[in-house]
């Protein structure tokens, strides 16, 4: 009798479904009651009592942490798409997740079911730690492959390939109407961060005494990033010694952005060549690019040109917001997931 009462009470609780994309550069959360948040995946702790007093906080998250980064010890808990496994990074990641959840104010007492998008080839350990971290905040948690979540959001579920170019990794996933198997997925650390690092290296070797930070390189790439033919000259202000110089970085940017193309083309080709021969041609025509890297100008055309040499392909950049397509797909998947799947790993 008591149990029956308890069950009835549980059943009347509101159910909230949540999609989480725990990316290298950002965390994006979307809920079925219309809430969302996108925050930079950065956590900062004041370096000393002075900075702590000045900032009036013991910990800062996301953009706020980046803004005050010189006074902070900065943690970026995800590297190359994978959660770092030391205690401090795990605790930073958990704090950031809690901060984001608090910011969207989930209804108290609701039952919350979340799907976490993770890189296509995330290790068992990485999935386990992320699941453990999240268990404190949600009633039920599962993980799913990030690019599959994107496909689910787009409703592209048969003979489709998603190429998700993020910050830490590019993730590829073949979708064939079911949940993907390991052989349908591929992930490699050639993505936005690779471009930023290549850009820093080439500018500082062309112009000795130039100082280029990771944030500058990222900003310039996001403003001008392109592959193939430039649309305009990319002129930026580069700090050199104690002043700044206006420099054209068009060639350096082109080379840096193009540095990730060969691995992407190789990955696409491999996933096509190992697909069921009857459906390879259809798969070839359905290649979709998502993630922040999809905003690199011309990326679809240049990948298509490269594929033309090895059998051809039709490449399309997704029209949806590339930063939230993964979390929205994870949400959709959470809503559609049968009750008895909760608690199992996908
Ligand atoms: N306009 C732009 N042009 C080129 N690159 C961009 C642009 N805007 C953002 N990016 C880059 O996209 C990357 C972030 O993309 P995204 O949010 O998809 O990554 P993530 O999900 O955090 O990372 P990952 O999937 O690797 O874990 C960063 O490297 C960022 O600099
Ligand atoms: Mg991502």
């Amino acid at each position: 009798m008591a149990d029956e009462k308890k069950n009835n009470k549980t059943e009347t609780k509101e159910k909230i479904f949540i999609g989480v994309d725990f990316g290298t550069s950002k965390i994006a959360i979307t809920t079925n009651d219309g809430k969302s948040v996108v925050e930079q995946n950065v956590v900062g702790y004041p370096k000393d009592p002075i900075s702590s007093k000045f900032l009036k906080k013991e910990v800062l998250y996301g953009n706020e942490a980046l803004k005050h980064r010189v006074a902070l010890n900065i943690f970026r808990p995800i590297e190359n798409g994978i959660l770092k496994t030391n205690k401090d990074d795990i605790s930073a990641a958990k704090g950031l997740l809690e901060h984001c959840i608090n910011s969207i104010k989930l209804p108290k007492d609701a039952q919350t079911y979340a799907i976490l998008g993770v890189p296509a080839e995330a290790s068992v350990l990485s999935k386990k730690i992320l699941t453990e971290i999240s268990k404190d905040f949600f009633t039920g948690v599962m993980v799913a492959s990030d690019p599959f979540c994107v496909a689910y959001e787009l409703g592209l579920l048969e003979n489709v390939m998603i190429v998700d170019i993020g910050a830490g990794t590019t993730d590829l996933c073949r979708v064939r109407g079911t949940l993907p198997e390991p052989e349908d997925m591929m992930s490699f650390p050639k993505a936005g961060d690779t471009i930023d690092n290549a850009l820093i290296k080439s500018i500082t070797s062309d112009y000795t005494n130039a100082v280029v930070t990771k944030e500058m390189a990222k900003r310039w790439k996001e403003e001008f990033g392109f592959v193939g033919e430039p649309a305009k000259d990319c002129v930026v202000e580069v700090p050199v010694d104690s002043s700044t110089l206006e420099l054209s970085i068009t060639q350096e940017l082109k080379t840096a952005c193009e540095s990730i193309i060969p691995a992407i083309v190789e990955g696409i080709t491999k996933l096509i060549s190992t697909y069921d021969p009857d459906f390879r041609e259809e798969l070839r025509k359905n290649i979709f690019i998502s993630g922040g890297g999809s905003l690199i100008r011309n990326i679809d055309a240049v990948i298509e040109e490269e594929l033309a040499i090895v059998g051809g392909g039709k490449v399309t950049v997704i029209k949806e917001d590339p930063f939230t397509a993964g979390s929205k797909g994870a949400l959709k998947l959470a809503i559609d997931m049968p009750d008895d799947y909760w608690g199992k790993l996908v």
Side-chain angles (χ1 to χ4, degrees):
M1 182 67 189
D3 267 2
E4 209 173 278
K5 243 186 184 172
K6 200 171 145 200
N7 287 342
N8 285 342
K9 198 173 165 202
T10 315
E11 273 164 25
T12 54
K13 275 189 179 177
E14 186 183 2
K15 269 190 183 173
I16 301 283
F17 294 99
I18 300 156
V20 182
D21 177 359
F22 226 120
T24 304
S25 76
K26 57 99 207 357
I27 170 168
I29 301 184
T30 313
T31 71
N32 69 320
D33 64 343
K35 292 174 183 147
S36 65
V37 58
V38 179
E39 185 59 282
Q40 295 299 303
N41 207 339
V42 179
V43 180
Y45 302 95
K47 280 183 177 163
D48 59 22
I50 303 298
S51 50
S52 170
K53 194 160 182 210
F54 151 69
L55 294 164
K56 298 190 182 68
K57 283 182 186 166
E58 291 308 314
V59 53
L60 285 80
Y61 296 106
N63 278 326
E64 198 186 14
L66 283 177
K67 194 169 146 209
H68 297 289
R69 62 185 177 275
V70 288
L72 302 171
N73 289 320
I74 289 288
F75 286 78
R76 295 176 193 271
I78 310 255
E79 189 177 60
N80 294 340
I82 305 291
L83 179 64
K84 295 178 198 157
T85 49
N86 67 71
K87 222 170 102 238
D88 290 344
D89 281 297
I90 293 175
S91 131
K94 190 168 179 179
L96 182 63
L97 182 61
E98 185 171 21
H99 164 79
C100 291
I101 292 167
N102 289 343
S103 77
I104 53 171
K105 297 192 171 55
L106 293 175
K108 280 200 178 71
D109 293 333
Q111 289 190 311
T112 50
Y113 293 92
I115 287 198
L116 310 181
V118 298
E121 288 186 311
S123 68
V124 173
L125 178 65
S126 184
K127 288 185 201 170
K128 195 165 170 47
I129 297 173
L130 275 178
T131 311
E132 285 301 319
I133 286 178
S134 314
K135 271 186 182 161
D136 284 356
F137 309 116
F138 305 121
T139 317
V141 187
M142 283 197 282
V143 296
S145 141
D146 249 341
F148 180 74
C149 291
V150 173
Y152 208 75
E153 165 62 11
L154 303 178
L156 297 169
L157 291 172
E158 216 170 29
N159 304 323
V160 162
M161 187 166 344
I162 301 293
V163 180
D164 183 59
I165 309 173
T169 55
T170 291
D171 288 14
L172 272 56
C173 182
R174 261 178 345 209
V175 190
R176 48 187 173 81
T178 62
L179 285 169
E181 297 289 339
E183 64 267 24
D184 295 313
M185 299 188 278
M186 194 184 277
S187 183
F188 42 85
K190 290 236 178 251
D193 289 346
T194 318
I195 299 174
D196 301 343
N197 294 334
L199 190 57
I200 294 172
K201 207 167 161 198
S202 72
I203 298 175
T204 51
S205 69
D206 286 356
Y207 306 97
T208 30
N209 298 353
V211 181
V212 181
T213 64
K214 163 97 180 137
E215 274 68 32
M216 286 174 203
K218 187 167 179 261
R219 204 164 57 233
W220 297 335
K221 173 196 67 183
E222 291 177 5
E223 185 172 352
F224 298 111
F226 74 99
V227 289
E229 291 307 311
K232 57 180 173 183
D233 200 16
C234 313
V235 177
V236 298
E237 293 206 335
V238 183
V240 179
D241 292 328
S242 57
S243 73
T244 56
L245 277 185
E246 276 205 345
L247 296 174
S248 165
I249 56 161
T250 314
Q251 191 53 46
E252 289 84 353
L253 195 55
K254 174 180 160 78
T255 310
C257 290
E258 288 180 352
S259 69
I260 64 170
I261 301 286
I264 293 176
V265 171
E266 196 183 312
I268 294 174
T269 312
K270 189 160 179 214
L271 284 184
I272 293 175
S273 67
T274 52
Y275 202 46
D276 183 324
D278 285 341
F279 301 104
R280 279 182 204 164
E281 284 317 300
E282 203 180 331
L283 186 64
R284 240 179 231 296
K285 289 186 201 129
N286 287 323
I287 301 165
F288 291 86
I289 314 231
S290 65
S294 69
L295 298 174
I296 296 170
R297 206 177 53 76
N298 250 349
I299 192 136
D300 45 352
V302 166
I303 295 177
E304 225 172 76
E305 270 171 32
E306 294 296 316
L307 284 174
I309 307 164
V310 284
K314 170 92 186 76
V315 182
T316 311
V317 168
I318 65 162
K319 291 192 177 59
E320 287 71 7
D321 174 12
F323 304 106
T324 54
S327 67
K328 286 183 186 156
L331 167 63
K332 231 181 191 178
L333 204 53
I335 294 171
D336 292 350
M337 202 51 80
D339 283 354
D340 57 346
Y341 266 66
W342 287 102
K344 290 182 196 169
L345 288 182
V346 177

